[in-house]
């Protein structure tokens, strides 16, 4: 991971990460690409991102180096612009970046709080308990966990989805390292693919939607390519799965009940998503406003959970229990919504801050023109968008996608869908290519590894190619 090849690809991503303010009325873009301050900024970002890539071995949270790098880069930006007598552009540019980050921060904070609340109410634990207690074969568990990862990740984030499904695989697999490793690979692929066709499935799709590049319903054109992306490697791996039944489960099945109010929280979350879509599509307000309004509703409901005693279930909860067999028990633990806010993935949110400002700072130096001409004019739009997916396997897809959005190449909706697909599923090629993969390497340490995943990269690559081919066929784009 720290090889010269990784460094070279990271450096390539840096040149691909220079956004700019191309629209009219924005700060004037000056060209500092040949200055020593610009070159130092690139070196700083490359070094910081090498530390990010080595997070698993260094045990250094990924947000720390990029936040420091962001501050240094913007100091260099300010010095560069001040040296030519421009004392306002750097300030205006960084404010533009901060506004973009603030909208995404609040959106993600609301979504994460809902997911954390569902975890606290044992929604995911109940799902795990039911699956483990059913006595399914290894092959059936392989397919069920993959299917659920694909279906849940468009609503919940792929990291949480992967952790829950991996817990099922580990509980069922016992000491069967081969099954657990292959099951985790399947889950990572399915979670990343499932997030690719939903604006809420991944930060990259969320950014594309909020930028207005693709309408909300337009993302569902990626449903079939996403299914192909998961099914191709899943079918291949299923042929090599260990046979037979898992060992008897005496522990780890989990409690198959949902705490009081958990079912209501699920419906509140769905309603909040609908509200965010309506705010964005019909009222032309930032979708973040809808998410924060929904968070306010959740906080009010959290107050009810905090003060209420044992009460009868609602009709919605009774219908849910009868249809699923999952009961909603009522052990009364003190509920505090602010505990769930504190449990948000702050390292991820702060990492995103560092990435946005680093990329914005590099864009202020003027690296956009070099990269845009090379990738989207010399290479061609389709080739450039496919390359984005390959970069996402080595470098986190967030800076890669933010780079494309800030470059803002002139592309059709189908091309924006293509880059959304490749950035979303390209991270499955390597275990370090997505948050889901990195998290599972820690959760299933010794059973799901970098090299274990690499063994199946060829099959995942076939799914990557097949999904792109499927998108070309559906959209009618020329090859």
């Amino acid at each position: 991971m720290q090889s010269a090849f990784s460094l070279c690809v990271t450096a390539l991503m840096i040149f691909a990460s220079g956004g700019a303010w191309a629209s009219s009325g924005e700060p004037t873009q000056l060209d500092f690409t040949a200055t020593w301050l610009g070159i130092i900024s690139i070196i700083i970002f490359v070094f910081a991102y090498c530390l990010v890539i080595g997070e698993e071995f260094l045990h250094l949270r990924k947000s720390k180096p990029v936040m420091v790098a962001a501050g240094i880069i913007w100091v260099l930006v300010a010095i560069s612009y001040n040296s030519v007598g421009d004392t306002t552009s750097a300030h205006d540019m960084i404010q533009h970046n901060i506004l973009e980050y603030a909208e995404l921060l609040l959106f993600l904070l609301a979504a994460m709080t809902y997911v954390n609340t569902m975890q606290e109410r044992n929604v995911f634990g109940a799902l795990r308990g039911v699956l483990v207690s059913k006595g399914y074969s290894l092959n059936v568990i392989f397919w069920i966990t993959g299917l659920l990862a694909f279906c849940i990740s468009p609503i919940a984030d792929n990291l949480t989805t992967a952790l829950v499904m991996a817990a099922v695989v580990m509980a069922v697999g016992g000491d069967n390292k081969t099954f657990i490793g292959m099951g985790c690979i399947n889950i990572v692929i399915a979670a990343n693919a499932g997030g690719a066709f939903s604006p809420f499935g991944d930060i990259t799709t969320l950014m594309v939607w909020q930028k207005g590049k693709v309408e909300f319903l337009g993302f569902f054109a990626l449903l079939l390519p996403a299914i192909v992306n998961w099914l191709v490697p899943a079918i291949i791996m299923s042929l090599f799965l260990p046979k037979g039944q898992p060992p008897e489960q005496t522990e780890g099945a989990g409690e198959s009940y949902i705490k009081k109010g958990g079912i209501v929280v699920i419906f509140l979350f769905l309603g909040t998503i609908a509200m965010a879509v309506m705010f964005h599509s019909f009222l032309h307000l930032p979708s973040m406003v809808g998410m924060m309004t929904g968070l306010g509703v959740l906080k009010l409901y959290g107050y009810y959970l905090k003060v209420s005693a044992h009460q009868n279930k609602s009709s919605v909860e009774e219908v849910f229990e009868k249809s699923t067999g999952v009961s909603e028990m009522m052990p009364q633990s003190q509920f505090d919504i602010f505990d769930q806010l504190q449990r948000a993935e702050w390292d991820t949110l702060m990492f995103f801050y560092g990435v946005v400002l680093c990329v914005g700072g590099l864009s202020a130096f003027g690296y956009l023109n070099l990269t845009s001409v090379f990738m989207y004019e010399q290479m061609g739009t389709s080739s450039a968008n496919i390359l984005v997916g390959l970069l996402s396997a080595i470098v986190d897809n967030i800076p890669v996608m933010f780079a494309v959005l800030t470059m803002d190449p002139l592309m059709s909706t189908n091309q924006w869908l293509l880059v959304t697909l490749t950035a979303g599923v390209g991270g499955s090629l390597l275990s370090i290519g997505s948050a889901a993969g990195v998290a599972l390497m820690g959760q299933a340490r010794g059973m799901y590894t970098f090299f274990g995943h690499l063994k199946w990269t060829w099959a995942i690559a076939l799914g990557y190619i097949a999904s792109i081919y499927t998108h070309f066929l559906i959209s009618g784009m020329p090859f």
Side-chain angles (χ1 to χ4, degrees):
M1 189 160 53
Q2 295 292 340
S3 65
F5 173 74
S6 296
L7 186 59
C8 289
V9 177
T10 305
L12 176 61
M13 190 281 301
I14 299 306
F15 281 100
S17 63
W21 287 263
S23 59
S24 60
E26 302 262 351
T28 301
Q29 177 70 63
L30 300 179
D31 186 2
F32 294 104
T33 55
T35 65
W36 64 273
L37 289 177
I39 295 171
I40 288 175
S41 295
I42 290 178
I43 294 172
I44 289 171
F45 185 70
V46 170
F47 178 70
Y49 219 90
C50 285
L51 295 179
V52 171
I53 294 174
E55 178 184 15
E56 179 189 359
F57 307 105
L58 299 174
H59 305 291
L60 176 70
R61 292 296 187 94
K62 61 181 177 291
S63 63
K64 297 177 181 179
V66 292
M67 290 180 70
V68 174
I72 297 173
I73 288 172
W74 273 101
V75 168
L76 299 179
V77 169
I79 293 173
S80 297
Y81 276 82
N82 289 344
S83 68
V84 296
D86 186 347
T87 59
T88 60
S89 290
H91 177 271
D92 294 340
M93 289 176 181
I94 197 171
Q95 277 195 326
H96 179 89
N97 281 174
I98 290 172
L99 177 60
E100 287 189 337
Y101 170 71
E103 289 189 11
L104 285 165
L105 168 68
L106 295 175
F107 188 105
L108 293 171
L109 186 61
M112 287 178 176
T113 304
Y114 263 104
V115 172
N116 290 339
T117 302
M118 287 189 283
Q119 283 183 317
E120 191 277 337
R121 294 287 93 184
N122 205 41
V123 172
F124 300 120
L127 174 62
R128 174 193 169 196
V130 169
L131 289 176
V132 172
S133 65
K134 292 295 184 181
Y136 295 125
S137 68
L138 296 178
N139 188 66
V140 171
I141 286 293
F142 176 86
W143 282 107
I144 288 178
T145 52
L147 178 62
L148 287 175
F150 185 88
C151 294
I152 295 174
S153 59
I155 301 175
D157 64 282
N158 58 0
L159 175 59
T160 300
T161 303
L163 290 174
V164 172
M165 293 299 105
V168 176
V169 166
M170 293 175 66
V172 172
D175 296 328
N176 194 328
K177 293 184 179 180
T178 301
F179 170 74
I180 293 175
M182 295 176 70
C184 287
I185 295 170
N186 182 46
I187 288 168
V188 169
I189 299 168
N192 290 336
F197 70 89
S198 165
F200 299 90
D202 192 83
I203 295 177
T204 55
T205 56
L206 176 62
M207 289 192 293
V208 173
W209 178 50
Q210 289 195 329
K211 278 286 190 178
K213 301 302 181 182
V214 181
E215 294 298 323
F216 182 82
L217 295 178
F219 285 94
F220 293 95
L222 294 177
L223 175 58
L224 185 56
I227 292 174
V228 170
N229 179 266
W230 166 53
L231 281 182
V232 169
I235 291 172
I236 294 172
M237 287 192 295
S238 68
L239 301 176
F240 299 90
L241 278 175
K243 307 298 181 183
Q245 296 291 124
E248 291 291 330
Q249 300 299 318
T250 56
E251 296 180 359
E255 302 287 353
S256 56
Y257 64 78
I258 301 175
K259 292 182 182 179
K260 176 180 173 61
I263 296 168
V264 174
V265 172
I266 295 173
F267 285 98
L268 287 179
F269 186 38
L270 295 175
T272 296
I273 291 175
M275 193 185 311
V277 173
M278 288 188 291
F279 273 53
H280 181 83
S281 300
F282 300 112
L283 300 178
H284 306 291
L285 292 173
S287 55
M288 166 271 300
V289 179
M291 291 297 292
M292 291 301 290
T293 304
L295 177 60
V297 174
L298 177 62
K299 292 173 72 173
L300 289 175
Y301 186 68
Y303 174 76
Y304 161 75
L305 290 177
K306 185 175 181 179
V307 302
S308 65
H310 295 266
Q311 296 181 6
N312 294 329
K313 301 179 180 66
S314 69
S315 57
V316 171
E317 293 165 346
E318 291 176 350
V319 169
F320 181 88
E321 290 181 12
K322 290 178 182 178
S323 61
T324 62
V326 177
S327 61
E328 182 177 71
M329 305 290 284
M330 296 170 57
Q332 293 300 300
S333 57
Q334 188 75 1
F335 179 82
D336 190 342
I337 188 63
F338 289 100
D339 289 341
Q340 312 317 315
L341 276 167
Q342 292 172 1
R343 288 177 53 231
E345 288 287 333
W346 285 104
D347 181 53
T348 298
L349 295 173
M350 294 296 100
F351 168 73
F352 194 36
Y353 162 84
V355 164
V356 169
L357 264 69
C358 281
V359 172
L362 292 172
S363 77
F365 279 107
Y367 290 104
L368 164 73
N369 293 333
L370 295 176
T371 307
S372 184
V373 169
F374 171 70
M375 287 186 65
Y376 286 97
E377 293 184 23
Q378 295 182 7
M379 286 183 59
T381 303
S382 296
S383 298
N385 288 336
I386 293 172
L387 176 63
V388 165
L390 300 179
L391 291 174
S392 296
I394 301 171
V395 185
D396 192 278
N397 60 0
I398 294 174
V400 175
M401 179 56 80
F402 187 74
V404 174
L405 287 169
T406 50
M407 283 191 292
D408 198 19
L410 184 61
M411 296 195 298
S412 66
T413 299
N414 285 327
Q415 286 290 353
W416 279 110
L417 286 171
L418 175 62
V419 74
T420 300
L421 173 69
T422 57
V425 304
S428 300
L429 291 167
L430 297 175
S431 63
I432 61 170
S434 66
V438 172
L440 293 200
M441 282 195 294
Q443 185 180 21
R445 191 176 303 276
M447 293 177 283
Y448 172 62
T449 64
F450 174 82
F451 291 103
H453 191 110
L454 188 64
K455 176 183 176 182
W456 294 100
T457 293
W458 64 273
I460 302 168
L462 290 177
Y464 180 74
I465 295 170
S467 64
I468 294 172
Y469 182 76
T470 303
H471 175 64
F472 272 83
L473 286 179
I474 293 174
S475 64
M477 290 194 302
F479 289 97

